[in-house]
Amino acid sequence: MREIIYAMQFTGRAAPKDAATPTVLKATTTAPSCSLTSTAGPEGIRGSLQRVAGAEATFESEVVFSDASTFQESGTIAFGQNGHRLRFSTIGQGYLGPSADPTRKHGTVMWKVDEGEGQFAGASGLITSNFFVSDTGEVTDHHFGVIFVR
């Protein structure tokens, strides 16, 4: 087994899938290739994401709310353009609630890898998402994934 880790910041939009089902959202985001740096020091912790050369990752999901703050989600993440794709679904339930910024909600969810293609054929693993959704539907989503492949 080989372990692949990744950390990326996805941005894009979330909106109702259609007018008939306002509790179902479609999220579509992208993330550039990046490098994550976390530094602990005398002043505490600092972190930054820096763009690096490479392709984008694309994310699409369907979010189904069970009430105002909990949801289930499933979707795909494609890394680059050559068919390296993960399919995922929620473990337990996701949470979306208020944040310190009154124009954004803050949420978190954990996904399990259901299947993969390309580099991820036969993959398993977990991905965490810590995200914001603005009152206009803009999404900023921080992923951290640990994926196992053969």
Side-chain angles (χ1 to χ4, degrees):
M1 273 292 156
R2 185 168 54 99
E3 182 180 310
I4 299 171
I5 64 167
Y6 80 92
M8 298 182 99
Q9 181 184 58
F10 288 78
T11 58
R13 297 198 49 78
K17 184 175 176 180
D18 58 53
T21 53
T23 60
V24 178
L25 302 180
K26 179 178 180 175
T28 306
T29 60
T30 60
S33 291
C34 67
S35 175
L36 170 68
T37 303
S38 299
T39 307
E43 51 294 316
I45 186 79
R46 289 184 315 202
S48 67
L49 284 172
Q50 300 295 321
R51 283 185 159 208
V52 297
E56 281 190 335
T58 58
F59 173 96
E60 290 187 357
S61 73
E62 183 173 281
V63 180
V64 180
F65 279 87
S66 34
D67 60 37
S69 63
T70 60
F71 62 89
Q72 298 288 310
E73 185 172 17
S74 61
T76 61
I77 307 167
F79 297 90
Q81 306 278 315
N82 296 324
H84 305 295
R85 188 178 321 275
L86 293 171
R87 285 181 179 65
F88 64 85
S89 60
T90 304
I91 296 173
Q93 60 187 11
Y95 170 79
L96 180 64
S99 78
D101 178 347
T103 66
R104 299 190 301 172
K105 290 185 176 181
H106 193 176
T108 188
V109 63
M110 185 168 51
W111 304 305
K112 66 180 174 63
V113 173
D114 295 319
E115 64 180 335
E117 299 171 15
Q119 169 189 24
F120 300 110
S124 63
L126 300 173
I127 304 164
T128 57
S129 165
N130 194 318
F131 64 93
F132 293 98
V133 180
S134 76
D135 52 11
T136 60
E138 296 297 316
V139 174
T140 302
D141 186 4
H142 297 89
H143 290 196
F144 184 79
V146 180
I147 312 301
F148 293 94
V149 295
R150 297 184 196 278

